[in-house]
């Protein structure tokens, strides 16, 4: 990929000051860190991105988060993996250099060849790395889904993946669920409880 990267895709969105703290959901996300994947799946407007931003802000310093805001142009595999590595490099600046070299070849190899050295590098790092893929529903390329499935199958113990999406992705969800490696938050979880609604209306809206 020779075009410059849009670095704003790698920024964690700022948290609004008028945010209702949702402790029950943050605790649920914390408990899922020992699993491979966190899936936040709900229609537009349910606060998926806001929740993940608040969660990242609450993490202790030993856990570092890499953020990638996806769009439809990221359906090109070379572009997708380049941006994914760039996101991880916001946590560790030299991470994935050998994988990037493979991507810049005239005929880039498949996802497994790119991800293998990358996952080995992550495994050798002492910190916990959380990779957030925001708006994953915009990805429709089968080769990318297969690459993410490979990543999840061979994920280092010090890595966690969080995906926000409007529809469930074509990933091995059933296998992860059966093995206890999946944390899920759905629309029913993201809806305000009566107490959260009261906080929003009374304290934030001043009603």
């Amino acid at each position: 990929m020779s075009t410059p990267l849009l670095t704003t895709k790698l920024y964690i969105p700022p948290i609004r000051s008028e945010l209702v703290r949702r402790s029950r959901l943050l605790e649920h996300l914390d408990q899922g860190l020992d699993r491979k994947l966190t899936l936040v799946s709900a229609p537009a407007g349910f606060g998926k991105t806001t929740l993940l931003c608040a969660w990242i802000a609450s993490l202790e310093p030993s856990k570092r988060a890499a953020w990638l805001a996806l769009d439809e142009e990221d359906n090109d595999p070379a572009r997708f993996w380049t941006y994914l590595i760039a996101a991880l490099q916001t946590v560790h600046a030299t991470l994935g250099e050998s994988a990037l070299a493979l991507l810049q070849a005239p005929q880039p190899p498949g996802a497994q060849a790119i991800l293998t050295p990358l996952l080995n590098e992550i495994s050798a790092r002492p910190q916990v790395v959380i990779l957030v893929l925001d708006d994953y529903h915009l990805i429709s390329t089968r080769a990318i889904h297969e690459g993410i499935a490979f990543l999840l199958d061979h994920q280092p113990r010090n890595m966690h993946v969080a995906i926000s999406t409007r529809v469930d992705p074509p990933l091995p969800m059933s296998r992860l669920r059966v093995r206890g490696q999946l944390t899920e938050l759905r629309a029913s979880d993201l809806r305000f409880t009566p107490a959260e609604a009261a906080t929003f209306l009374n304290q934030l809206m001043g009603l």
Side-chain angles (χ1 to χ4, degrees):
M1 180 178 175
S2 58
T3 56
L5 295 181
L6 185 62
T7 57
T8 53
K9 289 166 60 67
L10 313 178
Y11 295 163
I12 300 173
I15 302 174
R16 301 192 306 269
S17 59
E18 65 276 15
L19 180 70
V20 175
R21 178 172 175 81
R22 313 190 72 185
S23 299
R24 62 184 178 90
L25 299 181
L26 297 177
E27 290 174 4
H28 191 66
L29 291 170
D30 283 340
Q31 292 168 2
L33 271 175
D34 291 333
R35 302 174 180 178
K36 288 190 172 185
L37 174 65
T38 291
L39 180 72
V40 184
S41 180
F46 272 79
K48 301 181 294 296
T49 299
T50 299
L51 174 64
L52 288 174
C53 291
W55 177 51
I56 289 172
S58 72
L59 294 173
E60 55 192 48
S62 62
K63 299 177 176 65
R64 302 288 303 279
W67 185 280
L68 176 55
L70 296 166
D71 55 53
E72 292 180 349
E73 293 183 359
D74 295 323
N75 277 288
D76 173 68
R79 175 187 168 98
F80 179 91
W81 299 119
T82 299
Y83 266 108
L84 185 145
I85 294 169
L88 291 170
Q89 286 182 338
T90 64
V91 175
H92 297 294
T94 60
L95 193 63
E97 290 185 344
S98 58
L100 280 177
L102 293 173
L103 281 167
Q104 293 166 1
Q107 294 293 330
Q112 293 189 18
I114 293 166
L115 289 171
T116 296
L118 178 65
L119 295 175
N120 288 340
E121 287 183 57
I122 294 172
S123 180
R125 305 277 177 164
Q127 287 180 310
V128 174
V129 177
I130 300 167
L131 173 63
V132 180
L133 301 176
D134 194 28
D135 287 338
Y136 193 83
H137 57 273
L138 296 174
I139 300 301
S140 58
T141 302
R142 180 178 176 181
I144 294 175
H145 296 316
E146 291 174 348
I148 293 296
F150 176 84
L151 185 154
L152 293 170
D153 282 341
H154 303 279
Q155 194 168 309
R157 295 175 65 88
N158 63 327
M159 184 181 187
H160 183 79
V161 177
I163 289 176
S164 79
T165 180
R166 296 181 185 177
V167 296
D168 284 12
L171 298 173
M173 311 296 294
S174 297
R175 183 170 74 243
L176 292 170
R177 192 178 292 117
V178 168
R179 294 178 178 176
Q181 297 172 336
L182 174 65
T183 296
E184 299 176 79
L185 286 173
R186 303 285 178 175
S188 58
D189 303 302
L190 296 174
R191 290 190 178 96
F192 272 5
T193 64
E196 290 168 341
T199 298
F200 176 76
L201 293 172
N202 296 330
Q203 298 182 16
L204 302 184
M205 299 298 293
L207 302 178

